[in-house]
Amino acid sequence: MTDSSNFLVIIALLPFLGALLPGVMIRAGRTACAWFTAFPTALALLLLLVLAPAVMRGETIHAEIEWLPQLGLTASFMLDGLSLLFAGMILGIGLLITLYARFYLSGNDPMGVFFTYLLLFQGAMLGIVLSDNILLLLIFWELTSLSSFLLIGFWSHLPEGRQGARMALAVTGAGGLAMIGGMLILGDIAGSYKISEILQAGDAIRASDWYIPALILILLGAFTKSAQFPFHFWLPHAMAAPTPVSAYLHSATMVKAGVFLMARMWPALAGTDAWFYIVATTGLVTMVIGALIALFKDDLKALLAFSTVSHLGLLTMLLGIGTPFAAVVAVFHIINHLTFKAALFMTAGIIDHETGTRDINRLGGLRRLMPVTFVIGTIAALSMAGIPLFNGFLSKEMMLDAAHDTTWAGNPLIVAVLATVGALLSVAYSLRFIWHVFFGPVRDDYPSKPHDPPFGMWAGPAFLATLVVVIGIVPAAIVGPLVAVAGGAVIGDAEMPYYSLKIWHGVNAALFMSIIAVVGGLVFLALHGGLNRIWNALPRPEAKAIFDWIVAQVAALSRRVTEASHNGSISRYLAILIVASVALGAVAFGGSGLATPSREMLPVSLPVLAGWLMLIVATGSIVVMHHHRFRALVLIGIIGLMISFGFVFLSAPDLALTQISVETVTIMLLLLALHFMPKSTPRESSGLLKLRDGVIAIAAGGGVGALAYAFMLRDVDTISGYHLENSYTGGGGTNVVNVILVDFRGYDTYGEIIVLGIAGFVIYALMDTLLNGPAARRLRNTDYAQNRSRDRHPLMMVVATRVMMPIAVMVGVYIFLRGHNQPGGGFVAGLVISIALLMQYMASGFAWTQNRQRVEYHALIGIGALVAGLTGAAAWLYNSPFLTSLYGYVELPPIEEFGIGTAFLFDLGVFMTVLGAVMLMLYSLSRIARYAGEPINVDPMDYDPKQAIVDEKGEV
Amino acid sequence: MELIVASAVGVLTAGGVYLVLRLRSFPVILGLALLSYAVNVFLFASGRLAINMPPVLQKYGEASYTDPLPQALVLTAIVISFGMTAVLVMIALGAFFEAETDEINMDDPAPAGDEDRA
């Protein structure tokens, strides 16, 4: 990758990396915390400026890191004019907001947390505008929803904060879900998830049958994010956030994401009737409604919130009109709206901060008390009103021009008239902001004594207000190139329309519309008192109430569904699961018919038939007499044994060894468990229930059996040829099964021993919790001593197990050593040695054996996993992938040649983990016995003949 | 031979499913044990059956071998299913000690109401 590409990736990562800093730096003080928030932002901005000249020359910078190429998901970024504009806004305003928030937040607010959220949000926004892959964009899109949730709900002690955050998350999250669907359809039509390729495929997309569904789903995402009618209601409620958040989210970032998306997708989606009627109409309606509500809001932030809704509607309408001219105007207005709206939000925050209220009715006369704030606020508000010499005027004129040329359903006037109405209302609420806050008499009942804030707090808005004026006077020199390159990126391959960024366009329709708007706005302001009374008397739907009602209904519905389906009957869930599996299997089975069998059946010999018969009879008997639990265990043992024989017969000696040793420990485990549980199962199933379960069981068994039968008679392509060929030459062993376990599929085995180890720890932890709870008391009070043999540790057994111990260990070691070449290996060896140890437990009792244990089983599991892991990691030293094996041979003459290599060490790890896990499981169960009042035996056996002889002598 | 193995798998599955649907924890554990036998044999059989062809390479002469891969998979599956059974047993024991009953269903639903729903 080139330097520019690297820079691009770094820009995208910086906010996320930077998010680690504020939480730590807050310990060094609030100022340090703010500095370290500003640092990554400033660095990213600097890198962006380094890349800017190339983009301004018309280049597009790409960077790509492969991530999941199979899914078309690559971490690919691009920087074109539009991305540059947005990234600059996000980072630039981010810096100003950091400065502002440093002074705005009080000492009680956790500033480190705030700045962490802010940087996370900044990173998510930056990701959206820099993504060159729609899947990646979707991820960042969801991240903005999540991080804005944290920011909006930052004052989580306020109910409005929590509710506003939830509402924002619900609305934008739902829209995001719809958008995922739309984007996937879009990617499918275009044949690529890369934005740059999708934009090239505009004609194919618009011609596709799936265009309308994709368009609607994507627009749902954009409209919810950008608070378009009827999803506009979340934005005012999000005003419960601290003002720096509102200023950031609702001027430069969050709500502009939807606008950005429409601009980004403009070459691919725009230009159709559907686009025009959905987007332009929604934008127009939102613009008028937002402006109308804003006029009657008394809360400064609510007024600004609805004016933001209105201006977002304006932008949406411009993009929806679909002409290149309107799109370029939209880009210009994005810049202008950013400057005046961020300044206004910060001004509102200053007023709130200094006077203690945001209620317009309690303000007025601040002109004299807060002169600096007054100048900044007035400039920004006049720009919002669209008064000449300020930048808002320029884009408003161009907007009116575009609206004037637009025909809606054959009617040439309707868009122009509504746009003028919107502009008129905009003038009215902007002037009201100035008039009712700053003018009028000085009052003496402000909640606190107003004065201008410290420099740090007004520096940001002052900078923006300067921009408002400078752009307003010499637009072409300041933002002309940026508008050209960003507008060019929006309209794609379309020809650049003629437009000029200047104050005086001559006497034209837009000028008259503008004059009407200003005059009308003044009239509205003059009549505001009366209009306000009428407005308040009119009935109107309360969005929050409707939203809450919908949420309550959905919650009630899901509770009903959950309670109906999840009623605490495990048997029922299992039955549903099994029936569904059988039904799906039957559908799949009956689908396309079967190929003709290609394999001959193998012959059956008499012993096999006998074993089969025993297995069938044993299974049937368990079903019939499972009420007698001990008997059922014996039968389980028979089944396991028969299966082991089957493995021997069918060329699977390793499996046979494993099965028979697992069988032994399983039976011991179940016997131990049964010691504490009822010895029989009550007969409580009704006949009908048995019949139902029988039918399900036979269907399931029949299905599985038929499936097995069907595939066993047909050949299959297998990858095992590779394993057979390379087992000796590549893995150094002749037992292919073992080589697969420790070499070819060593990583799987590594995972499996870890799972086994975790299972051991889980059991230990469960037992420990149990023995510290009420169950322990119950255990102590339970009398398990009935029917117990008086000779619990018989002499014969003790002696026999002692004799067998070394033999069993030797067999275990032998099986382990030969495992690579002959049937055996770490798994089986671990199990065999566990059995040898378990026999000691059984013969001499738990306590006696426990006293002689030297190594903790927990440690054994850990060491085993560590040995296996380190063996694998050692391959890194040789620049090979994890678990690449090395091997050589050692000849031990009396036994046989065995390989010594890394696989051997790995198998040792497997062995230790298996041994540790199995022993820990059974040990945990045995420990319960101690609580149940099991007497502690200090002697290895109950009746020691040697002792008896001593006693006799003593007596004599 | 194939028929023998397939029928064994089928019978084990049927027995396992029946026991899994019982109302007490111990039979359910037994049922899961039977099901894991069935699943292991089923997986093993996916490598197709072979007699006297263990996948242990012979030094001398040509020999044919059965498919080793399913065997390796089943080998670990056997050990893991033991671990799973052990965890289940422990959970069942814990539930029994805490609740003083080994019923697996909560009291609310009447067992009689079960049939018509399923």
Side-chain angles (χ1 to χ4, degrees):
Chain A
M1 284 205 285
T2 60
D3 279 353
S4 334
S5 310
N6 285 332
F7 281 178
L8 189 54
V9 175
I10 293 170
I11 293 172
L13 288 180
L14 263 172
F16 291 111
L17 296 176
L20 300 172
L21 293 175
V24 179
M25 292 317 295
I26 189 67
R27 287 161 191 271
R30 293 153 60 80
T31 308
C33 182
W35 273 114
F36 275 88
T37 309
F39 175 67
T41 314
L43 194 60
L45 192 60
L46 192 73
L47 289 176
L48 194 70
L49 291 178
V50 171
L51 299 183
V55 178
M56 298 301 280
R57 280 196 303 273
E59 293 172 23
T60 303
I61 296 166
H62 291 276
E64 193 162 287
I65 301 167
E66 292 231 321
W67 187 8
L68 288 175
Q70 296 87 344
L71 292 180
L73 183 57
T74 49
S76 49
F77 299 97
M78 75 167 172
L79 188 71
D80 64 353
L82 186 67
S83 316
L84 178 70
L85 169 67
F86 271 89
M89 292 185 344
I90 292 162
L91 292 168
I93 299 293
L95 268 183
L96 297 181
I97 293 293
T98 308
L99 173 69
Y100 181 79
R102 160 66 188 84
F103 292 94
Y104 182 88
L105 291 181
S106 78
N108 298 328
D109 295 318
M111 192 183 263
V113 176
F114 179 83
F115 280 136
T116 305
Y117 292 168
L118 195 74
L119 281 175
L120 286 177
F121 176 77
Q122 191 183 70
M125 269 313 293
L126 211 52
I128 290 183
V129 302
L130 295 180
S131 293
D132 188 16
N133 183 305
I134 47 177
L135 301 178
L136 189 66
L137 188 148
L138 286 171
I139 292 172
F140 285 118
W141 188 273
E142 297 298 325
L143 280 179
T144 58
S145 294
L146 290 176
S147 50
S148 66
F149 170 79
L150 294 172
L151 281 172
I152 295 170
F154 178 69
W155 281 331
S156 53
H157 57 281
L158 300 177
E160 304 85 48
R162 298 194 299 270
Q163 289 162 9
R166 269 208 304 274
M167 189 189 274
L169 183 67
V171 175
T172 61
L177 277 180
M179 203 174 90
I180 291 176
M183 287 296 198
L184 291 179
I185 297 176
L186 191 67
D188 199 46
I189 301 173
S192 165
Y193 291 115
K194 278 192 74 131
I195 292 176
S196 35
E197 285 168 19
I198 289 173
L199 298 186
Q200 298 298 319
D203 290 329
I205 291 168
R206 284 184 292 267
S208 161
D209 292 340
W210 286 91
Y211 169 70
I212 297 288
L215 179 70
I216 290 173
L217 289 171
I218 292 173
L219 286 178
L220 272 176
F223 286 175
T224 48
K225 203 78 158 184
S226 280
Q228 295 299 297
F229 181 83
F231 307 113
H232 62 287
F233 57 89
W234 71 262
L235 198 149
H237 287 286
M239 289 298 141
T243 302
V245 174
S246 311
Y248 197 37
L249 262 60
H250 303 142
S251 66
T253 52
M254 172 92 162
V255 294
K256 289 275 172 69
V259 175
F260 169 81
L261 190 80
M262 286 186 271
R264 177 50 92 212
M265 291 295 159
W266 199 88
L269 298 175
T272 60
D273 278 353
W275 171 271
F276 173 75
Y277 283 110
I278 299 175
V279 181
T281 312
T282 307
L284 198 60
V285 171
T286 310
M287 176 167 94
V288 175
I289 289 185
L292 189 65
I293 301 176
L295 183 59
F296 298 106
K297 282 291 170 190
D298 289 333
D299 178 356
L300 280 184
K301 279 178 79 177
L303 186 154
L304 292 176
F306 278 104
S307 91
T308 302
V309 169
S310 169
H311 279 270
L312 289 168
L314 188 160
L315 290 170
T316 305
M317 179 194 76
L318 284 172
L319 290 168
I321 287 174
T323 60
F325 175 72
V328 174
V329 175
V331 169
F332 186 38
H333 192 68
I334 286 171
I335 301 174
N336 297 336
H337 178 247
L338 158 82
T339 50
F340 66 70
K341 190 53 63 68
L344 279 172
F345 268 116
M346 289 196 244
T347 308
I350 290 172
I351 293 167
D352 185 18
H353 202 257
E354 303 303 332
T355 66
T357 180
R358 305 195 305 244
D359 188 347
I360 291 181
N361 295 326
R362 303 187 61 187
L363 294 167
L366 294 180
R367 177 173 42 120
R368 291 178 211 285
L369 299 170
M370 305 172 74
V372 178
T373 314
F374 162 63
V375 172
I376 296 169
T378 307
I379 291 173
L382 287 178
S383 176
M384 179 159 77
I387 305 297
L389 294 186
F390 303 106
N391 60 1
F393 169 73
L394 304 168
S395 44
K396 187 196 66 180
E397 286 280 288
M398 293 166 85
M399 178 277 285
L400 291 173
D401 200 12
H404 177 253
D405 294 338
T406 304
T407 309
W408 196 89
N411 187 330
L413 276 180
I414 187 161
V415 177
V417 168
L418 282 174
T420 312
V421 170
L424 183 153
L425 292 166
S426 177
V427 171
Y429 66 69
S430 302
L431 295 181
R432 177 168 178 243
F433 181 91
I434 301 171
W435 192 255
H436 287 180
V437 172
F438 295 111
F439 286 86
V442 172
R443 307 166 63 137
D444 51 9
D445 61 343
Y446 304 113
S448 60
K449 183 93 186 86
H451 56 81
D452 270 323
F455 170 74
M457 206 157 168
W458 62 258
F463 173 73
L464 290 169
T466 315
L467 276 182
V468 164
V469 178
V470 174
I471 297 174
I473 295 171
V474 280
I478 305 294
V479 292
L482 188 58
V483 170
V485 71
V490 175
I491 60 178
D493 296 333
E495 200 185 329
M496 199 65 177
Y498 170 78
Y499 66 94
S500 76
L501 303 178
K502 57 184 182 186
I503 299 176
W504 182 248
H505 282 107
V507 178
N508 57 12
L511 186 68
F512 285 113
M513 290 155 84
S514 216
I515 292 170
I516 294 171
V518 173
V519 173
L522 284 169
V523 172
F524 265 59
L525 179 63
L527 300 175
H528 183 266
L531 290 174
N532 202 25
R533 275 189 292 282
I534 298 172
W535 172 262
N536 286 331
L538 289 175
R540 53 181 188 277
E542 180 55 52
K544 185 168 187 303
I546 299 171
F547 177 80
D548 287 344
W549 182 82
I550 292 174
V551 169
Q553 292 302 308
V554 172
L557 179 70
S558 56
R559 188 173 302 124
R560 273 200 299 280
V561 170
T562 311
E563 278 169 4
S565 62
H566 204 97
N567 63 353
S569 166
I570 298 179
S571 308
R572 191 167 156 213
Y573 313 152
L574 285 169
I576 292 171
L577 181 77
I578 293 165
V579 168
S581 313
V582 171
L584 287 174
V587 170
F589 217 139
S592 53
L594 284 166
T596 44
S598 57
R599 289 172 73 97
E600 291 287 311
M601 279 230 249
L602 293 174
V604 179
S605 55
L606 198 60
V608 172
L609 209 58
W612 175 79
L613 206 62
M614 282 174 77
L615 187 140
I616 302 293
V617 170
T619 312
S621 311
I622 289 192
V623 169
V624 175
M625 30 183 172
H626 71 90
H627 300 279
H628 304 280
R629 293 180 171 182
F630 277 119
R631 219 176 289 170
L633 277 186
V634 174
L635 291 167
I636 284 268
I638 294 176
I639 296 172
L641 213 57
M642 288 309 118
I643 288 177
S644 309
F645 287 155
F647 284 143
V648 174
F649 190 76
L650 292 170
S651 319
D654 279 285
L655 290 189
L657 278 172
T658 316
Q659 181 69 58
I660 202 161
S661 26
V662 163
E663 199 53 48
T664 316
V665 284
T666 308
I667 298 290
M668 285 186 198
L669 176 96
L670 289 172
L671 272 173
L672 269 171
L674 202 50
H675 177 62
F676 304 103
M677 293 181 88
K679 308 296 176 282
S680 63
T681 308
R683 296 174 188 275
E684 55 191 357
S685 300
S686 64
L688 206 54
L689 190 67
K690 284 182 188 165
L691 184 67
R692 178 201 78 169
D693 294 346
V695 170
I696 296 177
I698 288 169
V704 173
L707 181 60
Y709 185 63
F711 72 57
M712 274 191 280
L713 286 183
R714 286 158 183 87
D715 280 304
V716 70
D717 279 337
T718 163
I719 56 169
S720 297
Y722 171 83
H723 296 134
L724 288 167
E725 273 164 32
N726 291 292
S727 171
Y728 189 71
T729 49
T734 53
N735 180 6
V736 186
V737 174
N738 185 269
V739 175
I740 291 176
L741 284 175
V742 298
D743 195 329
F744 294 124
R745 312 285 308 168
Y747 207 70
D748 290 356
T749 311
Y750 185 55
E752 271 149 6
I753 59 171
I754 286 177
V755 170
L756 196 66
I758 291 173
F761 287 130
V762 165
I763 288 174
Y764 181 78
L766 273 172
M767 186 252 339
D768 220 43
T769 321
L770 207 62
L771 294 184
N772 286 320
R777 254 192 328 272
R778 204 165 290 150
L779 263 172
R780 285 188 188 286
N781 298 331
T782 315
D783 181 19
Y784 285 103
Q786 318 116 334
N787 305 331
R788 187 170 273 175
S789 161
R790 291 180 58 201
D791 193 13
R792 290 188 305 132
H793 305 298
L795 169 71
M796 294 279 278
M797 186 157 173
V798 173
V799 173
T801 53
R802 295 293 182 280
V803 172
M804 276 168 71
M805 174 82 179
I807 301 173
V809 170
M810 199 177 72
V811 169
V813 172
Y814 173 68
I815 285 178
F816 175 73
L817 288 180
R818 66 177 238 163
H820 214 43
N821 292 318
Q822 294 293 320
F827 276 109
V828 184
L831 289 164
V832 167
I833 296 202
S834 320
I835 294 169
L837 293 174
L838 281 172
M839 286 194 305
Q840 313 305 316
Y841 277 86
M842 295 202 309
S844 293
F846 174 75
W848 185 87
T849 319
Q850 202 56 42
N851 286 339
R852 282 151 187 79
Q853 180 197 355
R854 299 277 160 76
V855 184
E856 288 284 334
Y857 298 129
H858 315 68
L860 204 57
I861 296 176
I863 295 170
L866 209 61
V867 166
L870 286 179
T871 312
W876 286 334
L877 297 179
Y878 298 93
N879 276 332
S880 309
F882 190 67
L883 280 172
T884 310
S885 64
L886 280 173
Y887 66 92
Y889 287 93
V890 175
E891 196 91 29
L892 276 188
I895 307 176
E896 59 191 278
E897 178 190 74
F898 68 91
I900 184 144
T902 55
F904 173 82
L905 278 176
F906 183 77
D907 219 10
L908 186 67
V910 172
F911 163 78
M912 288 197 281
T913 310
V914 170
L915 178 61
V918 171
M919 292 309 293
L920 188 62
M921 290 169 183
L922 293 159
Y923 155 77
S924 302
L925 274 169
S926 324
R927 236 186 83 181
I928 297 179
R930 291 282 292 273
Y931 276 76
E934 173 103 19
I936 298 171
N937 50 322
V938 286
D939 298 318
M941 50 199 109
D942 293 338
Y943 175 74
D944 190 341
K946 211 159 61 186
Q947 194 63 43
I949 294 167
V950 174
D951 286 350
E952 274 171 26
K953 281 182 180 165
E955 278 171 18
V956 171
Chain B
M1 192 70 207
E2 273 79 1
L3 194 58
I4 294 256
V5 174
S7 59
V9 169
V11 169
L12 284 171
T13 310
V17 166
Y18 182 80
L19 288 180
V20 157
L21 294 175
R22 294 304 90 209
L23 305 174
R24 301 285 174 147
S25 56
F26 199 77
V28 172
I29 293 172
L30 292 182
L32 282 171
L34 287 189
L35 278 180
S36 46
Y37 289 139
V39 169
N40 288 339
V41 176
F42 183 88
L43 281 180
F44 166 72
S46 73
R48 309 301 184 261
L49 305 185
I51 298 175
N52 279 332
M53 285 193 263
V56 177
L57 302 182
Q58 304 298 316
K59 276 186 195 165
Y60 312 106
E62 285 291 306
S64 50
Y65 307 105
T66 184
D67 193 341
L69 193 60
Q71 295 196 15
L73 298 180
V74 170
L75 197 152
T76 50
I78 293 173
V79 181
I80 294 274
S81 58
F82 163 73
M84 187 201 69
T85 309
V87 172
L88 267 179
V89 165
M90 197 65 217
I91 292 174
L93 261 185
F96 175 66
F97 288 143
E98 296 281 339
E100 290 188 309
T101 168
D102 59 348
E103 283 175 23
I104 59 166
N105 295 336
M106 280 159 65
D107 291 336
D108 295 340
D114 245 47
E115 295 96 343
D116 42 50
R117 287 202 196 101

